[in-house]
Amino acid sequence: MHHGGTRLTARAALVTTVALTTLATLSPVSPAPALAATAPAPAPPGGAPARVPAAATVTSALIGASTATPATERRAVPSVPGRAAYLYDASTGTVHLSRQAGKRMPVASLTKIMTAYVVLREAKLDDTVTIQAADVRHAAANGATHASLRAGERLTVRDLLYAVMLPSGADASHALARVYGPGDTKFVAKMNATARSMGLVDTRYANPDGLPKPGPGHSTALDQAKLADLALRDPLLRIIASTRRHVVAKSKVHRAHSWTNSNKLLGTTPGATGLKTGYTSAAGYCLSFAAERDGHLLVGVILGESNADRRFQSARRLLDWAGEQTAPLPEL
């Protein structure tokens, strides 16, 4: 669909072509929980891209092979508390870290990445959605994060997508699913159909927001990294995910709104481009993140962290560490 004429860079377009071709021809491979020092690296999202060196291996610390830094000079992989983690270079296919990446678990509001992705394919950005009392009650009754929406307000799909992705508004995601399902049941069916088309074989969505009721659904760090990669290829979703603050001026049909992104990597981590935070008691603190380093797009996922701020600290360390393993890509 049209997103205001935003264009991908030449490098991003090349990466998209390579990755989409690979995704169409190779089936995803779930990584083993532990590998020997010379074992083949787990397949990155969408399979192994053509640009991955044939000799790529994983070290005993599950570090993706790289010629940028001699093995003797590599720093040890940073400690990453949490139940699962995955980090790879979407530009080359190099897997830098894979720990319990194929284990199914709830992913909380990382679910809303798929919600936004589906809405972008079902709706027009200038469509107007009227907020209903049920949307507001849904967030309040579940103790969920919200975008402070009120019944009767009318907002565009574009603004509601910011409400979903920045403050992680369950009121906004409920409103969008209600209109573009129509209803949760049909919308969730669309989410799961999209997941299957992406090759997310270990993912099942139960609702549009990742809340415990009627069920949290499940995914894996590996599947969420695949989703992050594909979501960031959508120019508008990439812009939204990397926006630190979005302001909606008051109008005749809605109040003024100001939404701040819950992703603390933005503005504090070089090259950070998103993507989404999440939390429930069952899922723990989750983070889907990405950053540009020397022309490389590094994509990572942390699941099941017990400390809210530590997930961001871990992500920063991982991005810095992985950045040291890469050589700058030539400009196109």
Side-chain angles (χ1 to χ4, degrees), residues 101-139:
K103 184 176 178 61
R104 292 179 176 182
M105 58 187 72
V107 296
S109 285
L110 300 196
T111 297
K112 295 187 179 91
I113 300 171
M114 179 62 82
T115 296
Y117 189 90
V118 170
V119 168
L120 279 167
R121 277 137 194 84
E122 295 286 323
K124 295 180 180 178
L125 294 177
D126 292 327
D127 285 352
T128 300
V129 173
T130 301
I131 305 303
Q132 295 185 358
D135 305 322
V136 179
R137 284 198 304 269
H138 172 75

PDB file of all heavy atoms in Angstrom, residues 101-139:
ATOM      1  N   ALA A 101      16.700 -20.290  21.375  1.00  0.00           N
ATOM      2  CA  ALA A 101      15.987 -19.477  20.389  1.00  0.00           C
ATOM      3  C   ALA A 101      14.803 -20.197  19.758  1.00  0.00           C
ATOM      4  O   ALA A 101      13.937 -19.563  19.168  1.00  0.00           O
ATOM      5  CB  ALA A 101      16.950 -19.008  19.296  1.00  0.00           C
ATOM      6  N   GLY A 102      14.765 -21.511  19.838  1.00  0.00           N
ATOM      7  CA  GLY A 102      13.653 -22.255  19.275  1.00  0.00           C
ATOM      8  C   GLY A 102      12.635 -22.698  20.309  1.00  0.00           C
ATOM      9  O   GLY A 102      11.699 -23.434  19.980  1.00  0.00           O
ATOM     10  N   LYS A 103      12.785 -22.264  21.553  1.00  0.00           N
ATOM     11  CA  LYS A 103      11.872 -22.663  22.626  1.00  0.00           C
ATOM     12  C   LYS A 103      10.604 -21.816  22.589  1.00  0.00           C
ATOM     13  O   LYS A 103      10.664 -20.589  22.602  1.00  0.00           O
ATOM     14  CB  LYS A 103      12.552 -22.510  23.988  1.00  0.00           C
ATOM     15  CG  LYS A 103      11.704 -22.993  25.159  1.00  0.00           C
ATOM     16  CD  LYS A 103      12.476 -22.893  26.454  1.00  0.00           C
ATOM     17  CE  LYS A 103      11.620 -23.321  27.644  1.00  0.00           C
ATOM     18  NZ  LYS A 103      11.194 -24.735  27.512  1.00  0.00           N
ATOM     19  N   ARG A 104       9.452 -22.474  22.563  1.00  0.00           N
ATOM     20  CA  ARG A 104       8.181 -21.761  22.521  1.00  0.00           C
ATOM     21  C   ARG A 104       7.857 -21.156  23.886  1.00  0.00           C
ATOM     22  O   ARG A 104       7.998 -21.828  24.919  1.00  0.00           O
ATOM     23  CB  ARG A 104       7.055 -22.711  22.120  1.00  0.00           C
ATOM     24  CG  ARG A 104       7.142 -23.200  20.682  1.00  0.00           C
ATOM     25  CD  ARG A 104       6.002 -24.153  20.378  1.00  0.00           C
ATOM     26  NE  ARG A 104       6.004 -24.563  18.980  1.00  0.00           N
ATOM     27  CZ  ARG A 104       5.095 -25.366  18.444  1.00  0.00           C
ATOM     28  NH1 ARG A 104       4.105 -25.849  19.208  1.00  0.00           N
ATOM     29  NH2 ARG A 104       5.156 -25.688  17.162  1.00  0.00           N
ATOM     30  N   MET A 105       7.419 -19.905  23.868  1.00  0.00           N
ATOM     31  CA  MET A 105       7.047 -19.204  25.099  1.00  0.00           C
ATOM     32  C   MET A 105       6.183 -17.994  24.761  1.00  0.00           C
ATOM     33  O   MET A 105       6.154 -17.544  23.615  1.00  0.00           O
ATOM     34  CB  MET A 105       8.303 -18.785  25.871  1.00  0.00           C
ATOM     35  CG  MET A 105       9.251 -17.891  25.102  1.00  0.00           C
ATOM     36  SD  MET A 105      10.820 -17.610  26.008  1.00  0.00           S
ATOM     37  CE  MET A 105      11.598 -19.215  25.850  1.00  0.00           C
ATOM     38  N   PRO A 106       5.459 -17.445  25.734  1.00  0.00           N
ATOM     39  CA  PRO A 106       4.683 -16.227  25.466  1.00  0.00           C
ATOM     40  C   PRO A 106       5.618 -15.056  25.199  1.00  0.00           C
ATOM     41  O   PRO A 106       6.719 -14.995  25.743  1.00  0.00           O
ATOM     42  CB  PRO A 106       3.871 -16.028  26.746  1.00  0.00           C
ATOM     43  CG  PRO A 106       4.626 -16.771  27.803  1.00  0.00           C
ATOM     44  CD  PRO A 106       5.274 -17.926  27.108  1.00  0.00           C
ATOM     45  N   VAL A 107       5.150 -14.119  24.354  1.00  0.00           N
ATOM     46  CA  VAL A 107       6.006 -12.980  23.992  1.00  0.00           C
ATOM     47  C   VAL A 107       5.357 -11.638  24.314  1.00  0.00           C
ATOM     48  O   VAL A 107       5.831 -10.591  23.884  1.00  0.00           O
ATOM     49  CB  VAL A 107       6.403 -13.040  22.498  1.00  0.00           C
ATOM     50  CG1 VAL A 107       7.243 -14.273  22.218  1.00  0.00           C
ATOM     51  CG2 VAL A 107       5.168 -12.994  21.582  1.00  0.00           C
ATOM     52  N   ALA A 108       4.259 -11.673  25.076  1.00  0.00           N
ATOM     53  CA  ALA A 108       3.610 -10.447  25.534  1.00  0.00           C
ATOM     54  C   ALA A 108       3.307  -9.496  24.362  1.00  0.00           C
ATOM     55  O   ALA A 108       2.840  -9.935  23.320  1.00  0.00           O
ATOM     56  CB  ALA A 108       4.468  -9.776  26.614  1.00  0.00           C
ATOM     57  N   SER A 109       3.627  -8.218  24.536  1.00  0.00           N
ATOM     58  CA  SER A 109       3.243  -7.219  23.536  1.00  0.00           C
ATOM     59  C   SER A 109       4.099  -7.207  22.284  1.00  0.00           C
ATOM     60  O   SER A 109       3.842  -6.405  21.379  1.00  0.00           O
ATOM     61  CB  SER A 109       3.246  -5.815  24.161  1.00  0.00           C
ATOM     62  OG  SER A 109       2.118  -5.647  24.991  1.00  0.00           O
ATOM     63  N   LEU A 110       5.103  -8.089  22.183  1.00  0.00           N
ATOM     64  CA  LEU A 110       5.754  -8.249  20.882  1.00  0.00           C
ATOM     65  C   LEU A 110       4.711  -8.712  19.865  1.00  0.00           C
ATOM     66  O   LEU A 110       4.891  -8.547  18.655  1.00  0.00           O
ATOM     67  CB  LEU A 110       6.901  -9.262  20.957  1.00  0.00           C
ATOM     68  CG  LEU A 110       8.063  -8.980  21.907  1.00  0.00           C
ATOM     69  CD1 LEU A 110       9.253  -9.867  21.560  1.00  0.00           C
ATOM     70  CD2 LEU A 110       8.468  -7.523  21.911  1.00  0.00           C
ATOM     71  N   THR A 111       3.619  -9.282  20.363  1.00  0.00           N
ATOM     72  CA  THR A 111       2.475  -9.672  19.531  1.00  0.00           C
ATOM     73  C   THR A 111       1.986  -8.506  18.682  1.00  0.00           C
ATOM     74  O   THR A 111       1.544  -8.689  17.541  1.00  0.00           O
ATOM     75  CB  THR A 111       1.327 -10.174  20.434  1.00  0.00           C
ATOM     76  OG1 THR A 111       1.768 -11.342  21.128  1.00  0.00           O
ATOM     77  CG2 THR A 111       0.080 -10.493  19.638  1.00  0.00           C
ATOM     78  N   LYS A 112       2.082  -7.299  19.213  1.00  0.00           N
ATOM     79  CA  LYS A 112       1.532  -6.129  18.517  1.00  0.00           C
ATOM     80  C   LYS A 112       2.315  -5.774  17.247  1.00  0.00           C
ATOM     81  O   LYS A 112       1.817  -5.022  16.407  1.00  0.00           O
ATOM     82  CB  LYS A 112       1.480  -4.928  19.464  1.00  0.00           C
ATOM     83  CG  LYS A 112       0.519  -5.109  20.629  1.00  0.00           C
ATOM     84  CD  LYS A 112       0.386  -3.820  21.420  1.00  0.00           C
ATOM     85  CE  LYS A 112      -0.590  -3.967  22.577  1.00  0.00           C
ATOM     86  NZ  LYS A 112       0.078  -4.384  23.816  1.00  0.00           N
ATOM     87  N   ILE A 113       3.528  -6.314  17.095  1.00  0.00           N
ATOM     88  CA  ILE A 113       4.248  -6.120  15.834  1.00  0.00           C
ATOM     89  C   ILE A 113       3.449  -6.754  14.702  1.00  0.00           C
ATOM     90  O   ILE A 113       3.253  -6.154  13.641  1.00  0.00           O
ATOM     91  CB  ILE A 113       5.663  -6.727  15.887  1.00  0.00           C
ATOM     92  CG1 ILE A 113       6.490  -6.092  17.002  1.00  0.00           C
ATOM     93  CG2 ILE A 113       6.366  -6.572  14.545  1.00  0.00           C
ATOM     94  CD1 ILE A 113       7.824  -6.788  17.245  1.00  0.00           C
ATOM     95  N   MET A 114       2.978  -7.978  14.928  1.00  0.00           N
ATOM     96  CA  MET A 114       2.162  -8.645  13.915  1.00  0.00           C
ATOM     97  C   MET A 114       0.831  -7.928  13.726  1.00  0.00           C
ATOM     98  O   MET A 114       0.338  -7.809  12.597  1.00  0.00           O
ATOM     99  CB  MET A 114       1.928 -10.104  14.294  1.00  0.00           C
ATOM    100  CG  MET A 114       1.066 -10.869  13.292  1.00  0.00           C
ATOM    101  SD  MET A 114       1.805 -10.986  11.629  1.00  0.00           S
ATOM    102  CE  MET A 114       2.923 -12.386  11.864  1.00  0.00           C
ATOM    103  N   THR A 115       0.253  -7.433  14.804  1.00  0.00           N
ATOM    104  CA  THR A 115      -1.003  -6.680  14.697  1.00  0.00           C
ATOM    105  C   THR A 115      -0.826  -5.488  13.768  1.00  0.00           C
ATOM    106  O   THR A 115      -1.635  -5.260  12.854  1.00  0.00           O
ATOM    107  CB  THR A 115      -1.458  -6.208  16.089  1.00  0.00           C
ATOM    108  OG1 THR A 115      -1.758  -7.348  16.892  1.00  0.00           O
ATOM    109  CG2 THR A 115      -2.689  -5.325  15.990  1.00  0.00           C
ATOM    110  N   ALA A 116       0.226  -4.716  13.977  1.00  0.00           N
ATOM    111  CA  ALA A 116       0.478  -3.548  13.120  1.00  0.00           C
ATOM    112  C   ALA A 116       0.746  -3.976  11.681  1.00  0.00           C
ATOM    113  O   ALA A 116       0.275  -3.333  10.729  1.00  0.00           O
ATOM    114  CB  ALA A 116       1.661  -2.753  13.665  1.00  0.00           C
ATOM    115  N   TYR A 117       1.499  -5.056  11.513  1.00  0.00           N
ATOM    116  CA  TYR A 117       1.827  -5.546  10.167  1.00  0.00           C
ATOM    117  C   TYR A 117       0.565  -5.935   9.410  1.00  0.00           C
ATOM    118  O   TYR A 117       0.398  -5.594   8.225  1.00  0.00           O
ATOM    119  CB  TYR A 117       2.772  -6.745  10.288  1.00  0.00           C
ATOM    120  CG  TYR A 117       3.368  -7.214   8.985  1.00  0.00           C
ATOM    121  CD1 TYR A 117       4.573  -6.691   8.521  1.00  0.00           C
ATOM    122  CD2 TYR A 117       2.738  -8.192   8.216  1.00  0.00           C
ATOM    123  CE1 TYR A 117       5.134  -7.123   7.332  1.00  0.00           C
ATOM    124  CE2 TYR A 117       3.292  -8.628   7.024  1.00  0.00           C
ATOM    125  CZ  TYR A 117       4.490  -8.095   6.590  1.00  0.00           C
ATOM    126  OH  TYR A 117       5.030  -8.530   5.404  1.00  0.00           O
ATOM    127  N   VAL A 118      -0.357  -6.638  10.075  1.00  0.00           N
ATOM    128  CA  VAL A 118      -1.601  -7.057   9.421  1.00  0.00           C
ATOM    129  C   VAL A 118      -2.469  -5.851   9.094  1.00  0.00           C
ATOM    130  O   VAL A 118      -3.040  -5.753   8.003  1.00  0.00           O
ATOM    131  CB  VAL A 118      -2.365  -8.055  10.312  1.00  0.00           C
ATOM    132  CG1 VAL A 118      -3.771  -8.318   9.757  1.00  0.00           C
ATOM    133  CG2 VAL A 118      -1.592  -9.367  10.419  1.00  0.00           C
ATOM    134  N   VAL A 119      -2.581  -4.908  10.031  1.00  0.00           N
ATOM    135  CA  VAL A 119      -3.401  -3.718   9.797  1.00  0.00           C
ATOM    136  C   VAL A 119      -2.908  -2.946   8.576  1.00  0.00           C
ATOM    137  O   VAL A 119      -3.705  -2.459   7.760  1.00  0.00           O
ATOM    138  CB  VAL A 119      -3.412  -2.808  11.043  1.00  0.00           C
ATOM    139  CG1 VAL A 119      -4.013  -1.436  10.707  1.00  0.00           C
ATOM    140  CG2 VAL A 119      -4.210  -3.458  12.169  1.00  0.00           C
ATOM    141  N   LEU A 120      -1.595  -2.850   8.423  1.00  0.00           N
ATOM    142  CA  LEU A 120      -1.041  -2.124   7.276  1.00  0.00           C
ATOM    143  C   LEU A 120      -1.421  -2.765   5.948  1.00  0.00           C
ATOM    144  O   LEU A 120      -1.373  -2.104   4.901  1.00  0.00           O
ATOM    145  CB  LEU A 120       0.481  -2.044   7.391  1.00  0.00           C
ATOM    146  CG  LEU A 120       0.993  -0.945   8.325  1.00  0.00           C
ATOM    147  CD1 LEU A 120       2.466  -1.143   8.634  1.00  0.00           C
ATOM    148  CD2 LEU A 120       0.764   0.427   7.701  1.00  0.00           C
ATOM    149  N   ARG A 121      -1.796  -4.017   5.966  1.00  0.00           N
ATOM    150  CA  ARG A 121      -2.204  -4.709   4.741  1.00  0.00           C
ATOM    151  C   ARG A 121      -3.711  -4.782   4.581  1.00  0.00           C
ATOM    152  O   ARG A 121      -4.218  -5.192   3.539  1.00  0.00           O
ATOM    153  CB  ARG A 121      -1.577  -6.114   4.717  1.00  0.00           C
ATOM    154  CG  ARG A 121      -0.159  -6.055   4.193  1.00  0.00           C
ATOM    155  CD  ARG A 121       0.835  -6.891   4.945  1.00  0.00           C
ATOM    156  NE  ARG A 121       2.190  -6.465   4.544  1.00  0.00           N
ATOM    157  CZ  ARG A 121       2.834  -5.429   5.081  1.00  0.00           C
ATOM    158  NH1 ARG A 121       2.273  -4.741   6.053  1.00  0.00           N
ATOM    159  NH2 ARG A 121       4.036  -5.083   4.650  1.00  0.00           N
ATOM    160  N   GLU A 122      -4.444  -4.389   5.608  1.00  0.00           N
ATOM    161  CA  GLU A 122      -5.901  -4.439   5.563  1.00  0.00           C
ATOM    162  C   GLU A 122      -6.538  -3.060   5.431  1.00  0.00           C
ATOM    163  O   GLU A 122      -7.662  -2.943   4.962  1.00  0.00           O
ATOM    164  CB  GLU A 122      -6.439  -5.105   6.847  1.00  0.00           C
ATOM    165  CG  GLU A 122      -6.067  -6.564   7.015  1.00  0.00           C
ATOM    166  CD  GLU A 122      -6.850  -7.473   6.094  1.00  0.00           C
ATOM    167  OE1 GLU A 122      -8.038  -7.205   5.854  1.00  0.00           O
ATOM    168  OE2 GLU A 122      -6.260  -8.455   5.591  1.00  0.00           O
ATOM    169  N   ALA A 123      -5.837  -2.036   5.855  1.00  0.00           N
ATOM    170  CA  ALA A 123      -6.450  -0.711   5.988  1.00  0.00           C
ATOM    171  C   ALA A 123      -5.749   0.337   5.142  1.00  0.00           C
ATOM    172  O   ALA A 123      -4.619   0.144   4.679  1.00  0.00           O
ATOM    173  CB  ALA A 123      -6.406  -0.289   7.459  1.00  0.00           C
ATOM    174  N   LYS A 124      -6.423   1.455   4.975  1.00  0.00           N
ATOM    175  CA  LYS A 124      -5.818   2.650   4.396  1.00  0.00           C
ATOM    176  C   LYS A 124      -5.409   3.550   5.549  1.00  0.00           C
ATOM    177  O   LYS A 124      -6.126   3.678   6.545  1.00  0.00           O
ATOM    178  CB  LYS A 124      -6.811   3.366   3.481  1.00  0.00           C
ATOM    179  CG  LYS A 124      -7.210   2.563   2.243  1.00  0.00           C
ATOM    180  CD  LYS A 124      -8.199   3.339   1.384  1.00  0.00           C
ATOM    181  CE  LYS A 124      -8.594   2.540   0.151  1.00  0.00           C
ATOM    182  NZ  LYS A 124      -9.593   3.262  -0.681  1.00  0.00           N
ATOM    183  N   LEU A 125      -4.270   4.188   5.415  1.00  0.00           N
ATOM    184  CA  LEU A 125      -3.731   4.966   6.525  1.00  0.00           C
ATOM    185  C   LEU A 125      -4.640   6.106   6.958  1.00  0.00           C
ATOM    186  O   LEU A 125      -4.653   6.492   8.129  1.00  0.00           O
ATOM    187  CB  LEU A 125      -2.353   5.515   6.161  1.00  0.00           C
ATOM    188  CG  LEU A 125      -1.253   4.467   5.973  1.00  0.00           C
ATOM    189  CD1 LEU A 125       0.033   5.131   5.537  1.00  0.00           C
ATOM    190  CD2 LEU A 125      -1.053   3.667   7.249  1.00  0.00           C
ATOM    191  N   ASP A 126      -5.409   6.649   6.017  1.00  0.00           N
ATOM    192  CA  ASP A 126      -6.296   7.761   6.344  1.00  0.00           C
ATOM    193  C   ASP A 126      -7.699   7.315   6.720  1.00  0.00           C
ATOM    194  O   ASP A 126      -8.571   8.149   6.954  1.00  0.00           O
ATOM    195  CB  ASP A 126      -6.348   8.752   5.173  1.00  0.00           C
ATOM    196  CG  ASP A 126      -5.020   9.465   4.970  1.00  0.00           C
ATOM    197  OD1 ASP A 126      -4.325   9.709   5.979  1.00  0.00           O
ATOM    198  OD2 ASP A 126      -4.671   9.770   3.816  1.00  0.00           O
ATOM    199  N   ASP A 127      -7.925   5.994   6.783  1.00  0.00           N
ATOM    200  CA  ASP A 127      -9.194   5.502   7.325  1.00  0.00           C
ATOM    201  C   ASP A 127      -9.374   6.047   8.736  1.00  0.00           C
ATOM    202  O   ASP A 127      -8.393   6.209   9.479  1.00  0.00           O
ATOM    203  CB  ASP A 127      -9.209   3.976   7.396  1.00  0.00           C
ATOM    204  CG  ASP A 127      -9.397   3.311   6.035  1.00  0.00           C
ATOM    205  OD1 ASP A 127      -9.661   4.033   5.055  1.00  0.00           O
ATOM    206  OD2 ASP A 127      -9.264   2.078   5.970  1.00  0.00           O
ATOM    207  N   THR A 128     -10.617   6.299   9.119  1.00  0.00           N
ATOM    208  CA  THR A 128     -10.909   6.789  10.466  1.00  0.00           C
ATOM    209  C   THR A 128     -11.609   5.705  11.273  1.00  0.00           C
ATOM    210  O   THR A 128     -12.558   5.082  10.802  1.00  0.00           O
ATOM    211  CB  THR A 128     -11.799   8.049  10.412  1.00  0.00           C
ATOM    212  OG1 THR A 128     -11.116   9.069   9.692  1.00  0.00           O
ATOM    213  CG2 THR A 128     -12.105   8.551  11.811  1.00  0.00           C
ATOM    214  N   VAL A 129     -11.124   5.476  12.475  1.00  0.00           N
ATOM    215  CA  VAL A 129     -11.695   4.477  13.382  1.00  0.00           C
ATOM    216  C   VAL A 129     -12.285   5.199  14.593  1.00  0.00           C
ATOM    217  O   VAL A 129     -11.614   6.032  15.216  1.00  0.00           O
ATOM    218  CB  VAL A 129     -10.627   3.471  13.845  1.00  0.00           C
ATOM    219  CG1 VAL A 129     -11.193   2.537  14.921  1.00  0.00           C
ATOM    220  CG2 VAL A 129     -10.099   2.675  12.656  1.00  0.00           C
ATOM    221  N   THR A 130     -13.533   4.871  14.909  1.00  0.00           N
ATOM    222  CA  THR A 130     -14.184   5.453  16.081  1.00  0.00           C
ATOM    223  C   THR A 130     -13.946   4.552  17.287  1.00  0.00           C
ATOM    224  O   THR A 130     -14.260   3.358  17.257  1.00  0.00           O
ATOM    225  CB  THR A 130     -15.692   5.614  15.853  1.00  0.00           C
ATOM    226  OG1 THR A 130     -15.919   6.467  14.722  1.00  0.00           O
ATOM    227  CG2 THR A 130     -16.366   6.234  17.082  1.00  0.00           C
ATOM    228  N   ILE A 131     -13.374   5.107  18.330  1.00  0.00           N
ATOM    229  CA  ILE A 131     -13.091   4.345  19.550  1.00  0.00           C
ATOM    230  C   ILE A 131     -14.393   4.066  20.288  1.00  0.00           C
ATOM    231  O   ILE A 131     -15.225   4.964  20.463  1.00  0.00           O
ATOM    232  CB  ILE A 131     -12.118   5.112  20.461  1.00  0.00           C
ATOM    233  CG1 ILE A 131     -10.844   5.481  19.695  1.00  0.00           C
ATOM    234  CG2 ILE A 131     -11.793   4.290  21.707  1.00  0.00           C
ATOM    235  CD1 ILE A 131     -10.114   4.301  19.094  1.00  0.00           C
ATOM    236  N   GLN A 132     -14.573   2.825  20.708  1.00  0.00           N
ATOM    237  CA  GLN A 132     -15.765   2.440  21.447  1.00  0.00           C
ATOM    238  C   GLN A 132     -15.417   2.182  22.912  1.00  0.00           C
ATOM    239  O   GLN A 132     -14.263   1.953  23.271  1.00  0.00           O
ATOM    240  CB  GLN A 132     -16.392   1.190  20.835  1.00  0.00           C
ATOM    241  CG  GLN A 132     -16.923   1.408  19.422  1.00  0.00           C
ATOM    242  CD  GLN A 132     -17.648   0.193  18.875  1.00  0.00           C
ATOM    243  OE1 GLN A 132     -17.733  -0.856  19.523  1.00  0.00           O
ATOM    244  NE2 GLN A 132     -18.204   0.339  17.668  1.00  0.00           N
ATOM    245  N   ALA A 133     -16.458   2.185  23.742  1.00  0.00           N
ATOM    246  CA  ALA A 133     -16.254   1.944  25.169  1.00  0.00           C
ATOM    247  C   ALA A 133     -15.602   0.579  25.409  1.00  0.00           C
ATOM    248  O   ALA A 133     -14.797   0.414  26.328  1.00  0.00           O
ATOM    249  CB  ALA A 133     -17.587   2.036  25.903  1.00  0.00           C
ATOM    250  N   ALA A 134     -15.925  -0.395  24.550  1.00  0.00           N
ATOM    251  CA  ALA A 134     -15.356  -1.739  24.699  1.00  0.00           C
ATOM    252  C   ALA A 134     -13.843  -1.734  24.526  1.00  0.00           C
ATOM    253  O   ALA A 134     -13.134  -2.528  25.159  1.00  0.00           O
ATOM    254  CB  ALA A 134     -15.997  -2.683  23.689  1.00  0.00           C
ATOM    255  N   ASP A 135     -13.333  -0.847  23.672  1.00  0.00           N
ATOM    256  CA  ASP A 135     -11.888  -0.756  23.465  1.00  0.00           C
ATOM    257  C   ASP A 135     -11.195  -0.252  24.727  1.00  0.00           C
ATOM    258  O   ASP A 135     -10.149  -0.782  25.132  1.00  0.00           O
ATOM    259  CB  ASP A 135     -11.572   0.186  22.297  1.00  0.00           C
ATOM    260  CG  ASP A 135     -12.284  -0.207  21.019  1.00  0.00           C
ATOM    261  OD1 ASP A 135     -12.394  -1.418  20.755  1.00  0.00           O
ATOM    262  OD2 ASP A 135     -12.718   0.698  20.283  1.00  0.00           O
ATOM    263  N   VAL A 136     -11.803   0.748  25.349  1.00  0.00           N
ATOM    264  CA  VAL A 136     -11.244   1.323  26.568  1.00  0.00           C
ATOM    265  C   VAL A 136     -11.344   0.319  27.720  1.00  0.00           C
ATOM    266  O   VAL A 136     -10.392   0.137  28.493  1.00  0.00           O
ATOM    267  CB  VAL A 136     -11.965   2.636  26.921  1.00  0.00           C
ATOM    268  CG1 VAL A 136     -11.403   3.227  28.213  1.00  0.00           C
ATOM    269  CG2 VAL A 136     -11.838   3.640  25.773  1.00  0.00           C
ATOM    270  N   ARG A 137     -12.507  -0.344  27.826  1.00  0.00           N
ATOM    271  CA  ARG A 137     -12.699  -1.331  28.900  1.00  0.00           C
ATOM    272  C   ARG A 137     -11.726  -2.495  28.766  1.00  0.00           C
ATOM    273  O   ARG A 137     -11.245  -3.037  29.762  1.00  0.00           O
ATOM    274  CB  ARG A 137     -14.138  -1.862  28.879  1.00  0.00           C
ATOM    275  CG  ARG A 137     -15.174  -0.906  29.439  1.00  0.00           C
ATOM    276  CD  ARG A 137     -16.452  -1.659  29.781  1.00  0.00           C
ATOM    277  NE  ARG A 137     -16.973  -2.398  28.627  1.00  0.00           N
ATOM    278  CZ  ARG A 137     -17.853  -1.902  27.757  1.00  0.00           C
ATOM    279  NH1 ARG A 137     -18.306  -0.657  27.909  1.00  0.00           N
ATOM    280  NH2 ARG A 137     -18.283  -2.635  26.756  1.00  0.00           N
ATOM    281  N   HIS A 138     -11.433  -2.893  27.530  1.00  0.00           N
ATOM    282  CA  HIS A 138     -10.535  -4.028  27.300  1.00  0.00           C
ATOM    283  C   HIS A 138      -9.186  -3.783  27.958  1.00  0.00           C
ATOM    284  O   HIS A 138      -8.644  -4.670  28.645  1.00  0.00           O
ATOM    285  CB  HIS A 138     -10.351  -4.252  25.797  1.00  0.00           C
ATOM    286  CG  HIS A 138      -9.311  -5.273  25.468  1.00  0.00           C
ATOM    287  ND1 HIS A 138      -9.516  -6.627  25.618  1.00  0.00           N
ATOM    288  CD2 HIS A 138      -8.026  -5.141  25.010  1.00  0.00           C
ATOM    289  CE1 HIS A 138      -8.432  -7.289  25.260  1.00  0.00           C
ATOM    290  NE2 HIS A 138      -7.512  -6.417  24.883  1.00  0.00           N
ATOM    291  N   ALA A 139      -8.623  -2.605  27.752  1.00  0.00           N
ATOM    292  CA  ALA A 139      -7.320  -2.295  28.355  1.00  0.00           C
ATOM    293  C   ALA A 139      -7.426  -2.182  29.867  1.00  0.00           C
ATOM    294  O   ALA A 139      -6.596  -2.720  30.611  1.00  0.00           O
ATOM    295  CB  ALA A 139      -6.767  -1.014  27.755  1.00  0.00           C
TER     296      ALA A 139
END
